[in-house]
């Protein structure tokens, strides 16, 4: 099991314990944290030695319908699997699993939002109609969780510029953005298009560097 040196106590959450977690791609170490204000349990999955060069990282918000129930209405489950596969392929990295379902509005309200979407609203409009922000997630927990492992900079797997800005505001350097474009399908086209049009998500692959002599 990976050695996790003791870190200073956090004002917003406590580290509790760790165990090994075998997956189809690698044997990770699973770490449990409890948030003071809400009692929510958040997780980190680590692989390899995180010291040195910025590790591959994913900040993943809980999506029960996508992560567990294989919903095709979003790309969340595919992003979770894709991130773990990439970390396993690289042999080192960290995934933080934050319990902020439905962009922070909770599971039942997410299902209410789904009903509004079925009546014609897009994902942003549905959240606003329910009285919530378009994206109510908060990433302040990321800092003490990464500090637990001595991680100060990451190569972040994300398409979301707000997530990059949130980490950098916390003092976590994003050394590289790694796109995570997966599972576009007939059921989530509108969802992904809304992410791009209204939330600024970067939904196109990075351009390949030009070879010498190419324009």
């Amino acid at each position: 099991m990976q050695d996790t040196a003791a870190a200073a106590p956090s004002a917003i959450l406590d580290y509790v314990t760790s165990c090994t977690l075998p997956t189809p791609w690698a044997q990770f170490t699973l770490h449990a944290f409890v948030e003071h204000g809400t009692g929510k349990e958040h997780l980190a999955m680590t692989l390899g030695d995180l010291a040195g060069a910025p590790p591959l990282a994913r900040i993943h918000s809980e999506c029960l319908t996508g992560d567990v129930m294989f919903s095709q209405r979003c790309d969340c489950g595919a992003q979770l699997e894709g991130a773990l596969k990439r970390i396993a392929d690289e042999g080192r990295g960290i995934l933080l699993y934050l319990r902020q379902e439905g962009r922070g509005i909770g599971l039942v309200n997410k299902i209410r939002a789904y009903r509004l979407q079925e009546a014609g609203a897009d994902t942003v409009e549905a959240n606003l109609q329910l009285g919530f922000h378009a994206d109510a997630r908060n990433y302040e927990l990321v800092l003490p969780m990464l500090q637990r492992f001595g991680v100060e900079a990451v190569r972040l797997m994300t398409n979301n510029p707000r997530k990059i800005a949130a980490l950098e505001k916390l003092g976590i350097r994003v050394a590289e953005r790694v796109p995570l474009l997966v599972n576009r399908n007939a059921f989530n086209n509108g969802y992904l298009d809304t992410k791009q049009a209204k939330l600024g998500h970067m939904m196109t692959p990075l351009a390949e560097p030009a070879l010498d002599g190419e324009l």
Side-chain angles (χ1 to χ4, degrees), residues 3-19:
D3 178 33
T4 55
S10 165
I12 55 178
L13 86 169
D14 290 323
Y15 164 76
V16 181
T17 191
S18 302
C19 69

Side-chain angles (χ1 to χ4, degrees), residues 13-138:
L13 86 169
D14 290 323
Y15 164 76
V16 181
T17 191
S18 302
C19 69
T20 57
L21 186 72
T23 74
W25 313 290
Q27 180 165 286
F28 290 82
T29 303
L30 183 66
H31 312 268
F33 298 81
V34 176
E35 186 178 354
H36 294 170
T38 65
K40 287 184 177 180
E41 299 156 331
H42 304 277
L43 302 170
M45 294 176 66
T46 62
L47 182 68
D49 184 358
L50 300 181
L56 199 57
R58 167 75 180 162
I59 313 301
H60 191 89
S61 296
E62 178 183 33
C63 176
L64 182 72
T65 50
D67 298 341
V68 178
M69 297 177 177
F70 313 107
S71 171
Q72 298 299 291
R73 299 181 71 135
C74 63
D75 57 347
C76 302
Q79 286 190 318
L80 177 61
E81 181 175 335
L84 292 174
K85 284 181 176 178
R86 289 190 187 188
I87 291 171
D89 288 344
E90 195 150 304
R92 66 188 290 265
I94 181 168
L95 183 141
L96 302 186
Y97 195 87
L98 305 183
R99 307 295 298 280
Q100 41 187 3
E101 178 74 56
R103 293 182 188 155
I105 69 174
L107 181 59
V108 171
N109 284 321
K110 182 172 80 169
I111 295 171
R112 291 190 175 112
Y114 280 171
R115 287 285 292 176
L116 293 174
Q117 292 166 36
E118 289 169 357
D122 64 33
T123 54
V124 168
E125 292 165 346
N127 277 24
L128 295 176
Q129 286 176 32
L130 290 172
F132 298 106
H133 293 294
D135 189 340
R137 288 176 291 181
N138 186 318

